[in-house]
Amino acid sequence: MATDFLWVACVVQTRHTRCMGNWVERVRARNWTPIVFWLIGISIVTVVWATQRGQSDSFPAPLLQAVGLLLTALVFVLSLAQSRLTRTVDSLANAARRREEALLKSYAEHPEAVTTLDLWGHAGRIKAALMETGAVTNVEARRILREARRPVSNWGEAGKFERGFSLMQIDRELTASEERVTPSPRRQRTLEKEKQRLLREDAEATTAANQAGVTTSGYRRLTGRARVAELSVRSLLRMARGFLLVMIGLIAIGAIYAGWSWDQLPSVEVWAALVLLTLAGVYLGIVRREVDLEIRALAMALRDSSLLALLDAEYALLFYYEARRERDTERTLGIRHYVLSLLDQADESSPGLPWVSSVRGRLHLPEAIESASSLQSWRQYSRSDSSEGEERRLMEDLRPASRYLRYAAARSDDPIAALAYARCLHLQAVVLAENLAPSALDVLSGDPDQLHDAADDLAAGAIPLLRDIPIFGREALWGDPYWTWIRQSPLLWPDDPRLRGALAHVVPLSDP
């Protein structure tokens, strides 16, 4: 019984400690500044109402002058916020565009140094960086702005040494030795709390610095700078809103001094002050809308990447294959139009990119395979009366699929394009061998056996590329799609059992 009682007491104490800790964290995370200012303002107005009501015949001139000065300060702060955000939007948009242009230029001029897989990895980093730009709390916003204002050297060797030295001093005092006396239990608890506080603050500061783009590189630095710019402008808008609230308070105090009541209309000065207040409110509302539009334009500029559009098209292509397997015609057409719009977006900024051709070819290839299968079924059941339209549909998809995939696989650094073109060559060989499209023999040419051999060579060359991906760590950037695109795309798997086994060894059909 005593043991049960002690166990229950320990559980209650543990839950109480945990609840107290959560309550303390919630109190620390709360932004108390607005509440304090509201309490101070209400207290001042209440005291003036109780002691100074009706002490003047007109609105006090000093208060009217103060309202005018606050309006000037509000205009200055809002102009500063607009100019700062405009400069940041322009610089970040240009920086993102220059990065992508430099990468695509290197991709075109130095194919051995920058491969198609490197473009996939860069697109994955862009997507990962953009997914981290979520909403932050007030406490996190203050930390981010604080770390962004610190010098970069704070995160260099000097800053690391300073933080490590403080922790080393605490550990040294806690460790007993022959020449040092062991600290008292109370001193030990104090040192442990100080150590945990330093570790917590260092972890929070490190996270805030990463979010601010101080300690990151590449696209994460751009998104960090964008986050800092937005938070900085939002803080200036809050300051302007504070000026507006102070103006409201001064007008209320002036009206109290002038003895305003329901039986007596305000004086002319009060109406003038109200006009100034209205102008300030309208101007603040307009600037807030403009700031929201600029921030939205900045987000669109950072997302305006042909590589990111291609990566989204690759994801959509998986859903397209799934919708085709489920025979969902409406969903298939919708996804197809979406993929084509993404490809058009990528073509506008990066025309002639082999990755675009790869996606276009893999969009036409399943249609061609399905038409060929239908022709084989009709030929088996001697239903030649319905094959003319299917022959036309087959060539409408097989011709562009062959053209796009041949161009995409020519660089020999895109294993997915190589596997798709190998399947396309197999399909051409079947169409020629079985004479599935007699009306298109002038378009299709080649020996079926040679086409089969060329397809097997392409598939055999793609497997080493897929095997080398983990060596360069690219699976950390797009590992999920790397497994998924091939695993969920049956049209990419070669017909040769030996090659299928080798591909299944590189791309297992189930997660390890």
Side-chain angles (χ1 to χ4, degrees), residues 344-455:
D344 292 340
Q345 176 186 344
D347 261 335
E348 289 178 0
S349 56
S350 305
L353 199 63
W355 192 0
V356 178
S357 299
S358 174
V359 178
R360 288 190 185 276
R362 283 180 281 132
L363 191 64
H364 287 280
L365 187 55
E367 300 277 356
I369 293 175
E370 184 175 339
S371 297
S373 178
S374 299
L375 284 172
Q376 288 175 328
S377 300
W378 283 327
R379 185 67 53 84
Q380 181 180 359
Y381 294 103
S382 299
R383 295 173 59 182
S384 58
D385 56 335
S386 302
S387 64
E388 183 177 350
E390 199 64 34
E391 285 182 20
R392 186 176 63 255
R393 283 191 291 271
L394 169 64
M395 298 312 300
E396 286 177 353
D397 289 302
L398 184 56
R399 278 198 299 265
S402 301
R403 177 167 57 90
Y404 288 131
L405 292 174
R406 180 172 60 249
Y407 174 71
R411 281 183 58 104
S412 302
D413 60 359
D414 187 351
I416 292 181
L419 291 173
Y421 187 47
R423 185 61 183 272
C424 189
L425 290 179
H426 274 299
L427 182 60
Q428 291 184 28
V430 170
V431 171
L432 289 172
E434 300 183 10
N435 196 19
L436 295 180
S439 60
L441 291 179
D442 56 335
V443 178
L444 297 178
S445 61
D447 182 72
D449 294 333
Q450 293 179 355
L451 291 175
H452 281 300
D453 293 338

Side-chain angles (χ1 to χ4, degrees), residues 49-78:
W49 178 275
T51 59
Q52 303 296 325
R53 187 184 180 200
Q55 296 295 320
S56 176
D57 296 334
S58 62
F59 193 92
L63 293 181
L64 188 60
Q65 294 174 359
V67 171
L69 290 175
L70 285 173
L71 177 60
T72 304
L74 182 141
V75 172
F76 172 76
V77 169
L78 293 180

Side-chain angles (χ1 to χ4, degrees), residues 98-123 306-307 310 314 350-359 362 404-415 417 465 474:
R98 286 196 304 269
R99 285 174 182 270
E100 184 165 325
E101 289 176 353
L103 180 68
L104 294 178
K105 184 179 179 180
S106 299
Y107 174 74
E109 297 178 355
H110 307 286
E112 295 183 357
V114 182
T115 65
T116 304
L117 294 181
D118 293 322
L119 297 186
W120 284 60
H122 187 76
S306 58
L307 301 181
L310 286 172
E314 291 283 0
S350 305
L353 199 63
W355 192 0
V356 178
S357 299
S358 174
V359 178
R362 283 180 281 132
Y404 288 131
L405 292 174
R406 180 172 60 249
Y407 174 71
R411 281 183 58 104
S412 302
D413 60 359
D414 187 351
L465 292 176
R474 293 192 182 95

Side-chain angles (χ1 to χ4, degrees), residues 235-442:
S235 65
L236 290 176
L237 290 179
R238 286 194 296 271
M239 184 185 298
R241 190 164 59 247
F243 289 165
L244 186 64
L245 293 176
V246 174
M247 291 172 65
I248 295 174
L250 291 178
I251 293 175
I253 292 174
I256 292 172
Y257 267 103
W260 175 82
S261 64
W262 295 110
D263 300 330
Q264 180 181 356
L265 290 176
S267 60
V268 178
E269 293 84 355
V270 175
W271 292 110
L274 290 176
V275 170
L276 294 178
L277 180 63
T278 303
L279 290 175
V282 171
Y283 184 56
L284 178 59
I286 293 174
V287 172
R288 286 184 62 182
R289 285 197 298 271
E290 290 297 323
V291 167
D292 291 337
L293 291 176
E294 287 287 337
I295 292 175
R296 196 173 305 164
L298 175 58
M300 293 177 63
L302 292 179
R303 287 176 171 82
D304 187 18
S305 167
S306 58
L307 301 181
L308 187 61
L310 286 172
L311 190 63
D312 291 338
E314 291 283 0
Y315 278 109
L317 203 59
L318 293 180
F319 294 105
Y320 176 73
Y321 293 156
E322 180 183 350
R324 287 186 58 85
R325 287 194 297 269
E326 296 176 355
R327 302 294 180 181
D328 190 342
T329 305
E330 183 177 356
R331 185 181 172 209
T332 301
L333 292 176
I335 298 176
R336 184 183 179 88
H337 288 311
Y338 175 66
V339 173
L340 290 174
S341 65
L342 291 174
L343 294 177
D344 292 340
Q345 176 186 344
D347 261 335
E348 289 178 0
S349 56
S350 305
L353 199 63
W355 192 0
V356 178
S357 299
S358 174
V359 178
R360 288 190 185 276
R362 283 180 281 132
L363 191 64
H364 287 280
L365 187 55
E367 300 277 356
I369 293 175
E370 184 175 339
S371 297
S373 178
S374 299
L375 284 172
Q376 288 175 328
S377 300
W378 283 327
R379 185 67 53 84
Q380 181 180 359
Y381 294 103
S382 299
R383 295 173 59 182
S384 58
D385 56 335
S386 302
S387 64
E388 183 177 350
E390 199 64 34
E391 285 182 20
R392 186 176 63 255
R393 283 191 291 271
L394 169 64
M395 298 312 300
E396 286 177 353
D397 289 302
L398 184 56
R399 278 198 299 265
S402 301
R403 177 167 57 90
Y404 288 131
L405 292 174
R406 180 172 60 249
Y407 174 71
R411 281 183 58 104
S412 302
D413 60 359
D414 187 351
I416 292 181
L419 291 173
Y421 187 47
R423 185 61 183 272
C424 189
L425 290 179
H426 274 299
L427 182 60
Q428 291 184 28
V430 170
V431 171
L432 289 172
E434 300 183 10
N435 196 19
L436 295 180
S439 60
L441 291 179
D442 56 335

Side-chain angles (χ1 to χ4, degrees), residues 20-32 139 142:
M20 288 296 294
N22 294 336
W23 181 80
V24 172
E25 289 296 327
R26 286 197 297 268
V27 170
R28 289 181 59 226
R30 179 78 183 212
N31 186 15
W32 294 98
V139 176
R142 289 196 295 269

